[in-house]
Amino acid sequence: MVKTQDKWWKHAVVYQIYPRSFQDSNGDGIGDLKGIMERLPYLEKLGIDAIWLSPVCRSPQDDNGYDISDYQDIDPMFGTLEDMEELIRKAKDHGIRIIMDLVLNHTSDEHRWFLEAKKSKDNPYHDYYVWRDGTEDTPPNEMRASFGGSAWEWVPELGQYYFHQFSVKQPDLNWENEKVRREIYDMILWWMDKGVGGFRLDVIDQIAKEPDLEITNNGPMLHAFIREMSRETFQKGDLITVGEAWGADVERAKLYSNPNGNEFSMVFQFEHIGLDQQEGKEKWDLAPLPFVKLKKVLAKWQTGLYGRGWNSLFWDNHDLPRIVSRWGNDREYRVESAKMLAALLHGMQGTPYIYQGEELGMTNVKFADISHYKDIESVNMYKERIEAGYDKDDVMKSIYARGRDNARTPMQWDGSANAGFTAGTPWIEVNPNYTTINAREELEDQDSVFYFYQKLIRLRKEYPVFVDGKFELLMPEDEKIFAYTRTNGDSRMLVCANFSGEQAECPLLAEWVDAEVLIHNYPGEWSKKLRPYEAVILIQS
Ligand code: GLC
Ligand code: CA
């Protein structure tokens, strides 16, 4: 039997806050640090251990803070450095650690380093970024940026291009320059000194890019850079570190999250998230979810990392649509399907992440047209595709299904104006369903999605099998049932869910009639005929 693992983050549940959409405290329509402080009791009640805070550092907000112009200051929109220190302290009083979002692949083009870098080729900061000579109409190669257009931006005064994997306002840092790495490590140590509980590392698998070879992620130096950073910084504290790695497969994830702890605690990988799109195309090119494949992919990660790494468990984040709208049913079975998805995820091995509002079953949003959308990715895509002759309704359909603003509408606190998020005009409109879907209502209803999440979090703390149990997928080919066991010594747990809107038979439940019910998303008894989106977690010991 595996003993409950020693690292605190193996028992932890993380809650992600997208600060500009969480709680506004001063009526300017933008969420802020003081707003987060007001809501700490709510988060303590939910039972989470840590908050991953999307970037709050100083930024021109071209990509909502993922374009940092000063790593060691807070953007005035969110508050001050003192507010941040207060948040770290107050959160601690509520038993919650703060995880900072580190954006180290690129800075803002308004960062002091970049302003210097573009002054001249022999400026000491020039080599902090990735430059190539060229002529105005011929960039070094055909590489494209994630948010559209060429990845190369011409700077006429220098007769050079700089490289940017994201927007033109997000120039890539040159990690091959040791001075850059030193500056970064000093900055990380400075935040560690302030008492943060860990870091989430934005697009970390892209730092070792080799643009001449058209390599963006997983460049040859990647793990060497990460190990150096980990040794120089993270390993000096008891932190949770999570790398965002779109390009990770199981083998690579074993390196990232190896039990020696010389890289990260875990990575966010997205294999399950990319399944419902047309192969070889973009996320906007929709396809139905291949359910059997989803099960197999998740099972592969569960068994692949067992004892050899550690998984992050998530359905949602600030870049993804809302899971209940995506793979559940946000109309007649919103509550049931939100709970079913939660049970499936929280029953697995790894550290669960809850994205703000997920614990309320918040849904996607459909604004009338593109003018209501704020996200640079959606806005640029819309422009590109309309110019390329796509049908406007089809483009909007893609945004409704996959746009990042689905996750970025304000947190729905109550049924008052603007969902209690702001006394002013919110920076992005509130989802009109806030009058029925909101925290106040859910806190008064013992059967709400909120209390289901609260219970799942408690179960993880009470039953070591949630942390340590070995995963086995059952009925792998079944088109409706998602079932698996977790086994640790004599303790055996079954997670069984109907992933569909129709009744589905789960014969193996017959063997579990005497088991104890840990959680169930329908009132009353369960039977092996599962109702739409019915889910149950049972334990035998
Ligand atoms: C990550 C972030 C995303 C951001 C991008 C560039 O993918 O999650 O929000 O736009 O990196 O920093
Ligand atoms: Ca504000």
Side-chain angles (χ1 to χ4, degrees):
M1 161 159 170
V2 181
K3 272 262 214 54
T4 303
Q5 324 237 9
D6 47 346
K7 296 278 184 201
W8 68 267
W9 42 262
K10 293 198 173 178
H11 308 257
V13 176
V14 179
Y15 187 91
Q16 185 192 350
I17 288 183
Y18 197 64
R20 60 163 58 226
S21 301
F22 192 63
Q23 177 67 64
D24 177 23
S25 72
N26 61 354
D28 67 354
I30 301 168
D32 45 51
L33 297 180
K34 286 219 154 65
I36 297 172
M37 291 183 226
E38 289 169 20
R39 297 298 184 176
L40 287 169
Y42 169 86
L43 297 173
E44 183 177 2
K45 180 161 187 169
L46 182 58
I48 53 112
D49 302 276
I51 293 170
W52 151 20
L53 205 56
S54 278
V56 290
C57 290
R58 207 175 259 278
S59 160
Q61 305 289 329
D62 183 54
D63 185 21
N64 289 2
Y66 285 91
D67 49 317
I68 292 177
S69 56
D70 187 345
Y71 291 102
Q72 286 167 279
D73 200 4
I74 298 298
D75 197 277
M77 162 191 299
F78 297 125
T80 63
L81 199 51
E82 289 69 45
D83 293 336
M84 186 65 193
E85 288 164 344
E86 191 182 342
L87 174 63
I88 294 170
R89 265 199 322 275
K90 285 205 165 140
K92 207 167 171 197
D93 294 340
H94 290 271
I96 296 170
R97 308 183 205 219
I98 300 290
I99 301 171
M100 295 276 294
D101 206 322
L102 283 178
V103 187
L104 306 178
N105 175 67
H106 45 266
T107 66
S108 162
D109 65 341
E110 296 178 37
H111 193 290
R112 182 175 57 86
W113 300 339
F114 192 75
L115 296 177
E116 287 295 318
K118 67 173 189 193
K119 282 185 182 161
S120 76
K121 287 186 196 173
D122 43 52
N123 187 288
Y125 290 95
H126 188 70
D127 192 42
Y128 274 40
Y129 296 87
V130 180
W131 300 93
R132 294 292 180 270
D133 294 332
T135 51
E136 180 158 13
D137 40 14
T138 39
N141 58 36
E142 295 301 304
M143 290 178 80
R144 311 282 299 165
S146 279
F147 299 152
S150 168
W152 297 101
E153 180 71 7
W154 177 242
V155 179
E157 306 85 76
L158 298 184
Q160 284 190 314
Y161 285 88
Y162 69 83
F163 183 65
H164 62 92
Q165 299 189 64
F166 295 90
S167 93
V168 280
K169 289 187 63 64
Q170 293 167 297
D172 270 58
L173 281 167
N174 174 18
W175 272 70
E176 272 159 36
N177 182 342
E178 201 194 325
K179 282 198 209 134
V180 170
R181 305 203 302 276
R182 274 279 135 227
E183 298 248 24
I184 288 174
Y185 305 157
D186 288 346
M187 175 273 288
I188 294 176
L189 290 168
W190 183 84
W191 278 112
M192 284 173 65
D193 241 20
K194 299 214 172 288
V196 299
F199 299 98
R200 177 261 186 185
L201 294 107
D202 190 63
V203 293
I204 200 67
D205 59 350
Q206 297 180 208
I207 57 172
K209 57 252 160 186
E210 298 270 353
D212 304 313
L213 305 173
E214 307 210 2
I215 292 175
T216 51
N217 53 30
N218 303 334
M221 289 300 287
L222 178 62
H223 292 276
F225 290 155
I226 292 174
R227 284 179 190 186
E228 181 186 84
M229 168 166 58
S230 172
R231 190 178 61 239
E232 297 293 322
T233 62
F234 310 143
Q235 288 173 46
K236 301 182 186 202
D238 180 21
L239 302 180
I240 181 175
T241 50
V242 48
E244 183 196 26
W246 286 82
D249 57 14
V250 172
E251 287 316 306
R252 201 172 279 278
K254 284 182 197 165
L255 295 178
Y256 281 125
S257 66
N258 73 74
N260 298 331
N262 64 2
E263 295 200 12
F264 300 132
S265 315
M266 66 195 89
V267 282
F268 249 58
Q269 59 78 22
F270 296 85
E271 193 176 349
H272 59 302
I273 288 303
L275 294 174
D276 54 357
Q277 73 187 48
Q278 294 164 38
E279 228 179 287
K281 296 221 184 149
E282 293 185 88
K283 73 175 193 183
W284 309 110
D285 302 301
L286 313 177
L289 173 70
F291 172 60
V292 169
K293 197 159 174 201
L294 172 72
K295 291 194 285 186
K296 291 186 176 172
V297 164
L298 289 169
K300 177 180 76 184
W301 281 89
Q302 286 288 299
T303 47
L305 292 193
Y306 180 73
R308 315 179 65 176
W310 194 252
N311 275 299
S312 306
L313 307 171
F314 71 96
W315 294 129
D316 279 352
N317 72 20
H318 64 291
D319 296 328
L320 302 173
R322 296 276 179 186
I323 197 64
V324 68
S325 302
R326 186 178 195 174
W327 294 343
N329 175 331
D330 64 6
R331 297 164 310 275
E332 55 276 49
Y333 295 111
R334 187 184 63 86
V335 170
E336 291 81 358
S337 63
K339 291 176 179 174
M340 178 277 289
L341 289 157
L344 276 180
L345 195 77
H346 286 245
M348 287 190 237
Q349 185 174 49
T351 301
Y353 288 75
I354 300 169
Y355 178 72
Q356 66 183 43
E358 180 188 332
E359 78 282 12
L360 304 174
M362 273 177 63
T363 68
N364 281 352
V365 72
K366 278 189 185 163
F367 294 131
D369 59 61
I370 193 69
S371 68
H372 300 264
Y373 285 83
K374 308 287 181 192
D375 173 28
I376 182 173
E377 185 187 59
S378 294
V379 170
N380 288 358
M381 181 282 280
Y382 182 88
K383 239 174 67 206
E384 277 195 357
R385 289 206 165 183
I386 295 296
E387 276 166 22
Y390 281 75
D391 177 66
K392 190 175 122 214
D393 292 342
D394 286 342
V395 177
M396 287 314 295
K397 231 185 244 162
S398 296
I399 293 177
Y400 294 155
R402 297 286 185 277
R404 304 197 295 183
D405 282 339
N406 283 309
R408 299 177 181 187
T409 60
M411 179 73 176
Q412 293 166 206
W413 293 108
D414 57 42
S416 71
N418 292 317
F421 161 70
T422 179
T425 308
W427 71 275
I428 186 171
E429 286 159 67
V430 177
N431 190 321
N433 65 19
Y434 73 91
T435 50
T436 49
I437 304 173
N438 64 62
R440 173 163 302 160
E441 300 252 335
E442 297 211 14
L443 288 170
E444 280 161 18
D445 171 9
Q446 283 305 315
D447 291 325
S448 65
V449 181
F450 178 91
Y451 287 115
F452 198 84
Y453 271 86
Q454 184 193 55
K455 191 160 179 194
L456 284 168
I457 296 169
R458 276 199 198 135
L459 289 172
R460 175 166 292 268
K461 315 263 176 227
E462 273 169 40
Y463 293 88
V465 66
F466 274 83
V467 179
D468 299 317
K470 190 167 185 186
F471 177 99
E472 190 191 347
L473 183 66
L474 309 173
M475 301 172 66
E477 305 299 332
D478 194 279
E479 296 283 350
K480 291 180 184 162
I481 301 286
F482 198 145
Y484 59 86
T485 49
R486 301 279 311 281
T487 310
N488 192 32
D490 292 337
S491 173
R492 193 153 175 256
M493 165 171 116
L494 172 71
V495 180
C496 188
N498 178 358
F499 210 91
S500 82
E502 291 126 44
Q503 204 180 65
E505 172 115 8
C506 182
L508 60 88
L509 274 169
E511 298 156 34
W512 288 76
V513 277
D514 297 324
E516 183 192 340
V517 179
L518 292 184
I519 196 164
H520 181 203
N521 68 345
Y522 268 82
E525 302 276 299
W526 57 268
S527 81
K528 62 185 179 163
K529 281 202 174 54
L530 293 176
R531 288 161 280 186
Y533 302 105
E534 188 166 0
V536 61
I537 302 185
L538 305 171
I539 192 162
Q540 289 172 339
S541 43

